[in-house]
Amino acid sequence: MSTAPLSLAKITWRHPQTGVVQEFVLAEGATATIGRQAGNDICIPEQHVSRQHAVVTYREGIFMIDDLGSANGTFINDQLITESFPLASGDIIRLYVPILYFSATVTEEDQRNAEEMGTLITATISTGKGKLIITTGPQEGTTIPMLLNTITIGRATSKATWEVGLQDPSVSRPHARLQLVDNTWVIHDLGSANGTLVNNTPVTEKGRPLRDGDILTLGSTILLFRAG
């Protein structure tokens, strides 16, 4: 029996210089990062695009797009977005200059082509391994592998004892703790002055389980969580 993922959407981009069309097919549950830096699921090598610019995530049956604190902003149908935005078929995603097209129509041929070209983006299975990608601030583009079962994050100081130091004066000393529980990462705020947010929602004392593509805000720093 086939176990091929159910493909629900596609994002298309035409390179302005070469005219080459790139089509990325998103399967159910997929997370797709968009940015200038190699290693993004959708790499747009254009000067107006930030290294980590935006992320598309699958939440409760729909694809949502979030800006990752990019320098020039993310626009949907020419409207600047400042929070999670639900994508609908026909929406135009503009990364200040580059334009991408979102469609909820995916044919079998689209899926075959994406499989052959390596542009089929599927859901990530959490194995307890993960990484944090800093998308804003002095350490923008830095990837932090999550190799321990408990990781504490705080402001970078000469006497810091935590595993991850952020060069951000609005981050507390320490600020938050990540713990691996049954292959799921859970984040806890440590009584920080400015709080810890996940997808713009404050983390309570009980902590918050993380899903692939979640956006963490600590002070003025934004980090993207990738599972798997």
Side-chain angles (χ1 to χ4, degrees), residues 16 26 31-32 37 39 55 80 99 104 135 139 145 161 165-166 204 212 220:
L26 278 59
T31 294
Q37 191 173 44
V55 61
L80 178 69
I99 292 175
T135 67
Q139 295 155 284
T161 58
L166 299 178
T204 66
D212 186 41
S220 299

Side-chain angles (χ1 to χ4, degrees), residues 50-72:
S50 293
R51 282 177 283 189
Q52 298 285 339
H53 196 109
V55 61
V56 176
T57 53
Y58 186 79
R59 301 179 197 157
E60 298 177 359
I62 57 176
F63 283 104
M64 310 283 292
I65 188 168
D66 287 88
D67 184 80
L68 291 173
S70 66
N72 293 316

Side-chain angles (χ1 to χ4, degrees), residues 184-205:
T184 298
W185 284 99
V186 179
I187 188 167
H188 299 267
D189 184 77
L190 297 177
S192 64
N194 294 312
T196 300
L197 307 180
V198 175
N199 302 330
N200 289 322
T201 301
V203 175
T204 66
E205 294 179 358

Side-chain angles (χ1 to χ4, degrees), residues 70-87:
S70 66
N72 293 316
T74 299
F75 300 76
I76 304 298
N77 305 325
D78 279 334
Q79 297 296 312
L80 178 69
I81 64 170
T82 57
E83 56 187 22
S84 296
F85 188 92
L87 290 169

